[in-house]
Amino acid sequence: MRSNLSYKSAFWIVSLAIVLAKIAFVFRPELDLFTEEAQYWLWSKNLAWHYYSKPPLVAFLNYISTSIFGVTELGVRINPILFGLGTAWVTYKFGSYLYNEKVGFWASIFLQAMPFWWMISSFHTTDTSLTFFWSLTVFLLYRALKEKKLNWWILAGFAAAVGLMAKAMMVLAFPFLFLFILQEGKLGKKWRNMLLFFLVMSLGFIPILVWNFQNDFNTFKHLANLAGAGGGNEESTASLGKSTAQLFEFLGGQLAMLSIFLLPILFYSIKSVFKYRNQDKFYLILPAILTLISFSFLSFFTEVLVNWPVFSYVGLPIIMSEWVLNQSSKWKKLRNWGLGISIGIPLLLILPDLTFVKSIPPIKKGEKQLFRRMSGYDPLAARVDYLQDSLELSDSFVFSETYHMASELSFYLKDHPQPYMLNMGARRNQFDLWDGMEQFLGQNKDGIFVSWNYDSPGKFAQFDSLLYEEKFEVYFRGEPLRTATIQVWKDLKEFDPYIPETY
């Protein structure tokens, strides 16, 4: 780094350049919200203490951001952009605090080169704010351990409490802290501070406990089902071959989340931690070890999504940065190439086709598959709006068989109406806890059914008559993507949705 450019300035130059690229991604006209993002936005129209599967923070953040920027893609995605930048800043500050600004700068670049960071900082999911508050909590706890000031324990507790309102995974902060202090042999000296941290952190449990007490503890049943302890008729045990495949699929996914181009540096930097038994580096790596072991074990019994443990990886870039700065020029060259490729690939994917490289048929086909679940909803909603006007459907309701479609339609329809989900075989979700289509029985209202998968509501919802039907094809960059069924039905007569037995 040249002497006339500080590492702090370099951090902001690189990070803000990436922010601008992500804003350009938001405004790509052929791409819509990811379906989970649309669902979390819909929650913001129905604010609550908690939701079926997640705590309330994601909904409240969407409520605030869309109140400022409007119900737009930017109004939703400004959250991951800012929280991603915040996570990178915490990494820079942590690395600088532990070592120096040079380590902090390169640590932030390593972080921003990792696919998991691109995922949590591009799409607004619960992992977005969880990762930020986890990194902030871990940093504040480290300062509490080193500086022996009570205020750091309290601040860390508040950061963890907010993190709990992002995602329940934040609870792992306490066992991580306990195990680190235990192996240091300082439990006797630190237990009062640990208790204070836990008590402050526990404030974050209030929303989940209040809501679940009022709603038959649905979230706890849902989490138990995800962990393989759910009831129902589904097979509860898997074959050894399937279990092994799930484990290796999970582990392979974790390597991909950390970037295959950075794996040599990651491997040797982790190896050095165990070789020299440095406590500072062990503190950074312990969360990743604990979560990876825990979820690897769980993946042997049930499906574990690739994103579940990624929040705990934020300490790894600091270890990698410090290690490689003490190596030969060959390692630094490998670092530069690895970082360049790891950042260049996502930039190529998210930016508009400025160079026409993405117009090459194989690349265009790959991009079409990659963004399949993020395309077609805006024009589909525009078509539904048009039909409502042309058919003079002044008092109609919109429904689909999935919460994905229902949420996307609500976001893109001009008046953002509350949508409805007709369960035709899906697991429980937030729609099961809201008022459903049963309220329209015998009310002589028109229902608009929209689906990628079904030709009609079938036996699950019987209407007086079919007023209109069409197949609507959506496109991705001029090429056919998929076809939706749109039906307008008159007067709901019978309502018999599928009742799932599992959570």
Side-chain angles (χ1 to χ4, degrees):
M1 189 68 58
R2 295 182 300 175
S3 59
N4 63 337
L5 181 64
S6 70
Y7 286 103
K8 184 177 181 180
S9 298
F11 165 82
W12 285 111
I13 291 171
V14 174
S15 300
L16 291 178
I18 293 176
V19 164
L20 292 176
K22 289 184 178 181
I23 292 175
F25 174 64
V26 171
F27 286 104
R28 285 184 61 178
E30 70 272 30
L31 298 180
D32 305 323
L33 288 185
F34 180 54
T35 55
E36 294 298 329
E37 291 180 290
Q39 177 194 201
Y40 298 143
W41 165 81
L42 185 60
W43 291 3
S44 74
K45 283 173 55 68
N46 300 269
L47 292 177
W49 279 93
H50 200 272
Y51 297 89
Y52 173 78
S53 60
K54 300 290 191 303
L57 185 61
V58 67
F60 280 85
L61 290 171
N62 279 328
Y63 180 84
I64 294 169
S65 61
T66 55
S67 296
I68 298 171
F69 295 97
V71 182
T72 61
E73 286 96 342
L74 182 62
V76 172
R77 292 213 176 123
I78 194 66
N79 292 291
I81 291 172
L82 294 179
F83 276 106
L85 179 61
T87 304
W89 174 246
V90 172
T91 301
Y92 167 78
K93 295 295 289 184
F94 200 174
S96 300
Y97 181 83
L98 271 172
Y99 300 104
N100 53 58
E101 286 196 337
K102 187 175 184 180
V103 171
F105 167 75
W106 284 108
S108 71
I109 303 303
F110 271 112
L111 175 72
Q112 293 178 90
M114 292 179 171
F116 85 83
W117 181 84
W118 283 89
M119 180 177 67
I120 62 100
S121 64
S122 300
F123 307 105
H124 192 204
T125 67
T126 52
D127 290 319
T128 297
S129 45
L130 167 68
T131 305
F132 170 75
F133 285 107
W134 176 274
S135 63
L136 181 60
T137 299
V138 171
F139 180 34
L140 294 173
L141 282 175
Y142 183 84
R143 297 196 67 166
L145 290 168
K146 294 300 179 182
E147 298 181 22
K148 302 178 182 178
K149 294 180 180 178
L150 202 61
N151 62 307
W152 292 120
W153 292 98
I154 296 172
L155 289 173
F158 278 118
V162 181
L164 275 172
M165 288 187 280
K167 198 171 183 179
M169 296 290 187
M170 191 71 214
V171 74
L172 295 176
F174 186 75
F176 148 66
L177 175 65
F178 174 81
L179 288 175
F180 179 76
I181 293 176
L182 181 65
Q183 64 85 35
E184 269 194 320
K186 297 180 180 180
L187 192 58
K189 298 179 180 179
K190 304 284 187 180
W191 72 267
R192 289 184 180 85
N193 291 331
M194 284 178 56
L195 180 61
L196 175 62
F197 166 74
F198 180 76
L199 290 175
V200 177
M201 180 181 76
S202 296
L203 295 172
F205 287 116
I206 293 175
I208 186 172
L209 293 176
V210 170
W211 185 90
N212 274 276
F213 184 78
Q214 297 171 340
N215 291 273
D216 197 30
F217 294 93
N218 275 304
T219 303
F220 294 97
K221 295 175 182 177
H222 169 67
L223 293 175
N225 185 72
L226 288 179
N233 298 323
E234 295 180 5
E235 189 176 325
S236 59
T237 58
S239 67
L240 179 61
K242 181 179 179 181
S243 297
T244 304
Q246 286 178 172
L247 172 62
F248 281 102
E249 182 179 352
F250 168 74
L251 293 175
Q254 300 316 297
L255 295 178
M257 286 288 99
L258 293 166
S259 178
I260 58 173
F261 303 105
L262 301 175
L263 289 183
I265 295 174
L266 176 64
F267 174 78
Y268 282 102
S269 60
I270 291 176
K271 184 180 178 181
S272 72
V273 175
F274 292 99
K275 181 178 180 180
Y276 298 106
R277 301 183 181 181
N278 180 282
Q279 283 295 296
D280 293 336
K281 292 180 179 179
F282 186 67
Y283 178 87
L284 293 170
I285 201 175
L286 183 59
I289 293 173
L290 292 177
T291 54
L292 185 62
I293 292 174
S294 300
F295 285 118
S296 294
F297 177 77
L298 185 61
S299 72
F300 201 74
F301 300 96
T302 188
E303 181 184 9
V304 176
L305 298 183
V306 70
N307 64 291
W308 286 2
V310 298
F311 67 93
S312 67
Y313 296 160
V314 290
L316 299 179
I318 301 175
I319 298 171
M320 297 166 69
S321 172
E322 194 278 336
W323 181 85
V324 79
L325 284 171
N326 291 307
Q327 305 307 311
S328 67
S329 59
K330 290 183 179 180
W331 279 104
K332 294 182 178 68
K333 186 176 181 179
L334 178 63
R335 174 199 64 191
N336 296 341
W337 276 101
L339 290 173
I341 296 172
S342 297
I343 294 175
I345 290 176
L347 282 176
L348 178 65
L349 288 173
I350 70 171
L351 287 173
D353 192 18
L354 302 174
T355 62
F356 303 104
V357 171
K358 290 193 284 187
S359 296
I360 299 172
I363 297 178
K364 187 175 183 179
K365 182 178 179 181
E367 189 182 43
K368 178 180 173 182
Q369 287 299 114
L370 180 65
F371 294 126
R372 181 179 177 84
R373 289 182 62 186
M374 294 172 53
S375 302
Y377 294 103
D378 193 4
L380 182 56
R383 181 61 180 173
V384 173
D385 276 329
Y386 171 80
L387 291 175
Q388 286 180 306
D389 291 338
S390 62
L391 297 175
E392 299 181 349
L393 306 174
S394 59
D395 191 22
S396 58
F397 61 94
V398 177
F399 68 103
S400 183
E401 88 286 358
T402 70
Y403 70 81
H404 304 282
M405 175 68 82
S407 301
E408 293 274 11
L409 287 174
S410 180
F411 185 86
Y412 286 104
L413 287 169
K414 63 182 178 181
D415 294 325
H416 312 296
Q418 178 69 21
Y420 299 90
M421 176 185 161
L422 173 63
N423 198 323
M424 299 170 67
R427 65 168 176 83
R428 294 177 193 266
N429 59 74
Q430 182 62 37
F431 277 87
D432 292 304
L433 305 179
W434 289 332
D435 292 337
M437 289 170 53
E438 64 276 359
Q439 64 186 295
F440 302 121
L441 283 166
Q443 297 298 310
N444 199 31
K445 287 191 175 184
D446 299 320
I448 304 175
F449 176 68
V450 185
S451 174
W452 298 123
N453 308 303
Y454 290 89
D455 291 328
S456 76
K459 64 180 181 179
F460 302 100
Q462 299 289 321
F463 292 81
D464 178 71
S465 59
L466 178 64
L467 299 178
Y468 179 82
E469 178 180 23
E470 72 172 49
K471 300 292 185 181
F472 184 78
E473 191 166 41
V474 299
Y475 296 82
F476 181 83
R477 296 178 59 195
E479 294 188 358
L481 183 66
R482 48 183 170 172
T483 302
T485 295
I486 304 176
Q487 293 178 323
V488 180
W489 293 90
K490 177 180 176 60
D491 194 9
L492 181 63
K493 295 295 186 181
E494 297 181 22
F495 182 63
D496 187 25
Y498 169 79
I499 306 298
E501 296 182 3
T502 59
Y503 287 79

